[in-house]
Amino acid sequence: GAVVSQHPSWVICKSGTSVKIECRSLDFQATTMFWYRQFPKQSLMLMATSNEGSKATYEQGVEKDKFLINHASLTLSTLTVTSAHPEDSSFYICSASGDTEEQYFGPGTRLTVT
Amino acid sequence: QKEVEQNSGPLSVPEGAIASLNCTYSDRGSQSFFWYRQYSGKSPELIMFIYSNGDKEDGRFTAQLNKASQYVSLLIRDSQPSDSATYLCAVSGGRRALTFGSGTRLQVQP
């Protein structure tokens, strides 16, 4: 149980374009989903927390207009990186939790902006 | 001051030995504690979680929590080369968002 998928697993895009990443909980209802970013050899940095049907709560320093998060259902959250730039290249990972506090992570999406 | 501290390592142990990974946290109100394993290039995988003081065992893994000392540890018995990874300690204050340590890299030597 507690399987979370992400799509795509990797993406290369040109500077200035937008990229959408999907996060799905496959076998449970995720009341809360989280989006993290991880740079090489660094730990995970929480970007935002989203609850189904509510606006996402962004961490300090994360631009809400640049990283658009939608949590439309109990099994799906999306992160859209708008007007991507090379410095946005990173490993983006979502996690989901249901009735308990344990978070289960998706496999991650490696974004490269050229 | 970092909220969750871990020694970055690498911690090197021989195969079959006990690996001991440590973590301290600064928020005394923290309620839930998690250990994740992350292989290079992969996302974290939940290994253990512990909510109460004391020990919690699951197979070769034992999590230990001491809230008075604000200390949580993970013991891995009979370490295997496949256990070589970065181990992330994570702490929750009850609002569900986790604060992660920077991770300890474990190397199990065959």
Side-chain angles (χ1 to χ4, degrees):
Chain A
V3 179
V4 178
S5 70
Q6 263 184 260
H7 178 81
S9 56
W10 61 269
V11 58
I12 301 173
C13 71
K14 291 187 176 180
S15 187
T17 61
S18 295
V19 174
K20 179 186 283 189
I21 303 170
E22 289 187 351
C23 176
R24 294 181 186 272
S25 57
L26 298 185
D27 55 359
F28 69 103
Q29 293 188 324
T31 52
T32 309
M33 286 186 167
F34 306 85
W35 286 95
Y36 295 85
R37 181 167 53 181
Q38 187 176 36
F39 293 106
K41 300 192 183 302
Q42 295 186 23
S43 191
L44 286 82
M45 186 187 76
L46 178 66
M47 298 175 68
T49 302
S50 74
N51 293 293
E52 184 261 339
S54 304
K55 287 185 178 179
T57 301
Y58 289 81
E59 294 298 300
Q60 195 171 12
V62 178
E63 299 174 57
K64 62 180 66 175
D65 294 331
K66 180 171 182 61
F67 299 99
L68 302 178
I69 292 172
N70 183 278
H71 192 164
S73 75
L74 285 171
T75 59
L76 173 64
S77 177
T78 60
L79 167 68
T80 301
V81 182
T82 63
S83 186
H85 290 283
E87 57 265 30
D88 297 324
S89 299
S90 187
F91 191 41
Y92 291 86
I93 315 172
C94 73
S95 71
S97 67
D99 296 333
T100 62
E101 278 201 275
E102 297 92 78
Q103 287 186 31
Y104 297 92
F105 284 84
T109 297
R110 195 162 299 282
L111 170 64
T112 302
V113 184
T114 61
Chain B
Q1 180 186 3
K2 283 188 180 178
E3 296 181 33
V4 179
E5 295 263 12
Q6 293 181 257
N7 188 318
S8 61
L11 171 67
S12 185
V13 300
E15 183 174 356
I18 296 176
S20 177
L21 304 161
N22 305 313
C23 172
T24 58
Y25 58 94
S26 61
D27 184 357
R28 199 169 274 282
S30 299
Q31 299 176 9
S32 308
F33 307 86
F34 305 84
W35 282 99
Y36 288 85
R37 176 175 61 197
Q38 186 175 26
Y39 293 110
S40 181
K42 302 295 185 182
S43 68
E45 172 191 9
L46 181 63
I47 298 176
M48 294 279 293
F49 56 88
I50 185 167
Y51 301 144
S52 305
N53 276 329
D55 295 0
K56 180 181 178 182
E57 187 174 318
D58 183 1
R60 295 187 296 114
F61 299 97
T62 298
Q64 299 174 317
L65 174 62
N66 184 326
K67 289 188 176 181
S69 301
Q70 297 176 235
Y71 175 92
V72 59
S73 66
L74 178 71
L75 301 178
I76 306 174
R77 288 181 299 280
D78 188 24
S79 295
Q80 301 297 309
S82 58
D83 294 326
S84 299
T86 296
Y87 289 81
L88 301 169
C89 171
V91 173
S92 169
R95 67 181 181 95
R96 292 186 168 241
L98 295 180
T99 300
F100 282 85
S102 55
T104 298
R105 189 157 62 94
L106 172 66
Q107 294 178 341
V108 181
Q109 307 294 336

